[in-house]
Amino acid sequence: MKFIEHGTGGGPECMALADGPAPSPAPGQILIEVVCAGVNRPDCLQRSGKYPPPPDASPVLGLEVAGRVAAVGEGVTQWKVGAGVTALTPGGGYAEYCVAPAAHALPIPDGMDYATAAALPETWFTVWANLVDLGHLKKDERLLVHGGSSGIGLVAIQLAKHLGVECLVTVGNDEKAAFCRAAGAAHAINYRTQEFAEEVKRITGGSGVDVVLDMVGAPYLQRNLASLRRDGRLVYVAFLEGSKGEADLMPVMIKRLTITGSTMRPRTLAEKAAIRDALVANIWPALSRGELLPHLYARFPLAQTAEAHRLMESSKHIGKIVLEVGKA
Ligand SMILES: NC(=O)c1ccc[n+]([C@@H]2O[C@H](COP(=O)([O-])OP(=O)(O)OC[C@H]3O[C@@H](n4cnc5c(N)ncnc54)[C@H](OP(=O)(O)O)[C@@H]3O)[C@@H](O)[C@H]2O)c1
């Protein structure tokens, strides 16, 4: 099969198309003939050597795919060869064939094409696990999402809309702000021209938000604590600007705040399967009804994966970037 290899790592130019044997499904796994693969920021980190894959995962990049089941491993009964699936993968998505646990695959929502479906798993698994399971986000609350125009951010806006939560976002320019508002954010704050914590205070009449989803890190900690109301929850999915700094933690005690966060990849098979089941029950029907909008920004042929990574690292994109791997 053709796949993208990244050698010992480096900039986007270290990636090249290569030929190698297709993997075979172990018990409990399915082999997917990949039509499209999603690109995620963690792929850029892994490519540059800053995010090594777990020891039992494929060294090939790629955390999500959509395609057809090509073979099933021992004990797999829920998927038949030929079925259309989208799946969270432990790695190996930038390839013509990829294995994934059968319990981490989901049906392609009604009427959805492969490219759009390939862009679903990583962001939806991450946002659900962090906002619902860890952040306990619920109806009539207020949510602040940093990086509102990222793949993760736009899914957080969709989830908020679905749950009946008012969503505020921060973004780096006015075009991204307009996009996030059109996607369902009640307020979009351009952090380059406005001070976000002051804006949150003004918008919420001084009361603050219930949950903050952050990917920026230490430089935002004090302002995130200030933006939360009593019993608020601060949830981390990344530290794009660093994880070390100083803060006055007094608001944590005074306002009974919770600080938490998680990464998806090291979770156990069973934990990811439980998230998958929650998504199938709570989100997939709404995707099939067209109520939740996926946001595909750009598509690149597999051979142009370096261009896809350059675009992601430029942060000019709004929403998801997808690789076209095989025939639909
Ligand atoms: N915890 C997990 O399990 C998990 C899973 C998937 C992804 N993630 C993380 O979640 C974040 C979003 O992922 P994604 O795939 O949705 O990424 P993405 O689409 O590339 O979005 C990242 C956005 O963050 C904003 N940003 C703010 N500060 C930044 C900085 N210092 N460097 C680069 N961008 C910065 C940029 O928008 P502005 O122009 O608005 O600044 C950028 O577009 C990434 O950090 C990723 O590693 C975590």
Side-chain angles (χ1 to χ4, degrees):
M1 68 169 188
K2 300 225 176 298
F3 71 101
I4 294 294
E5 68 175 1
H6 61 288
T8 52
E13 69 287 347
C14 74
M15 295 186 293
L17 210 49
D19 284 296
S24 25
Q29 291 185 335
I30 54 174
L31 177 70
I32 301 169
E33 182 192 356
V34 179
V35 177
C36 288
V39 177
N40 292 281
R41 189 67 71 147
D43 304 344
C44 303
L45 290 177
Q46 183 180 337
R47 184 209 71 221
S48 58
K50 293 182 196 140
Y51 189 48
D56 52 348
S58 163
V60 176
L61 302 174
L63 300 171
E64 59 185 354
V65 298
R68 289 173 289 269
V69 177
V72 299
E74 199 186 311
V76 173
T77 52
Q78 67 269 53
W79 297 111
K80 300 279 173 246
V81 170
V85 286
T86 178
L88 185 76
T89 72
Y94 290 12
E96 287 180 323
Y97 289 90
C98 171
V99 290
H104 300 172
L106 309 97
I108 294 182
D110 296 345
M112 193 175 278
D113 61 27
Y114 285 107
T116 311
L120 297 174
E122 176 69 13
T123 46
W124 273 105
F125 273 67
T126 301
V127 169
W128 183 271
N130 285 286
L131 285 183
V132 177
D133 294 341
L134 288 178
H136 305 295
L137 183 67
K138 51 190 176 299
K139 191 171 165 38
D140 297 331
E141 288 194 322
R142 274 197 180 117
L143 167 70
L144 171 65
V145 176
H146 294 299
S149 68
S150 64
I152 293 277
L154 283 164
V155 163
I157 295 171
Q158 296 296 295
L159 178 65
K161 212 163 104 178
H162 186 65
L163 294 176
V165 162
E166 185 178 283
C167 187
L168 290 66
V169 300
T170 66
V171 289
N173 64 41
D174 291 342
E175 185 199 353
K176 290 180 174 184
F179 193 94
C180 288
R181 278 193 288 267
H187 303 275
I189 303 162
N190 180 342
Y191 66 81
R192 294 186 203 278
T193 57
Q194 294 170 296
E195 174 45 61
F196 85 79
E198 281 168 22
E199 277 301 294
V200 169
K201 200 168 162 192
R202 185 187 65 74
I203 291 164
T204 63
S207 63
V209 298
D210 300 281
V211 178
V212 175
L213 183 69
D214 189 28
M215 57 183 72
V216 176
Y220 276 12
L221 175 56
Q222 200 71 63
R223 286 174 280 171
N224 282 337
L225 298 179
S227 299
L228 283 162
R229 63 189 302 174
R230 205 155 45 175
D231 293 317
R233 289 86 74 197
L234 170 56
V235 188
Y236 284 106
V237 289
F239 298 108
L240 284 164
E241 295 284 346
S243 59
K244 291 183 183 164
E246 268 190 29
D248 175 2
L249 294 176
M250 195 57 81
V252 175
M253 202 163 63
I254 305 283
K255 294 195 278 186
R256 295 190 307 248
L257 305 180
T258 301
I259 302 178
T260 183
S262 69
T263 53
M264 183 52 57
R265 211 172 182 186
R267 282 176 179 262
T268 65
L269 283 177
E271 284 171 342
K272 290 182 197 172
I275 298 166
R276 177 262 183 215
D277 292 348
L279 288 171
V280 166
N282 294 290
I283 297 300
W284 253 236
L287 281 167
S288 283
R289 290 192 299 269
E291 291 169 12
L292 301 172
L293 303 176
H295 299 287
L296 260 201
Y297 182 78
R299 303 162 63 140
F300 292 88
L302 186 64
Q304 291 173 22
T305 301
E307 284 311 307
H309 275 218
R310 283 189 191 103
L311 174 60
M312 177 156 274
E313 289 177 332
S314 77
S315 288
K316 286 191 183 130
H317 63 294
I318 296 178
K320 294 284 297 189
I321 301 169
V322 159
L323 301 173
E324 295 166 336
V325 182
K327 284 203 176 64

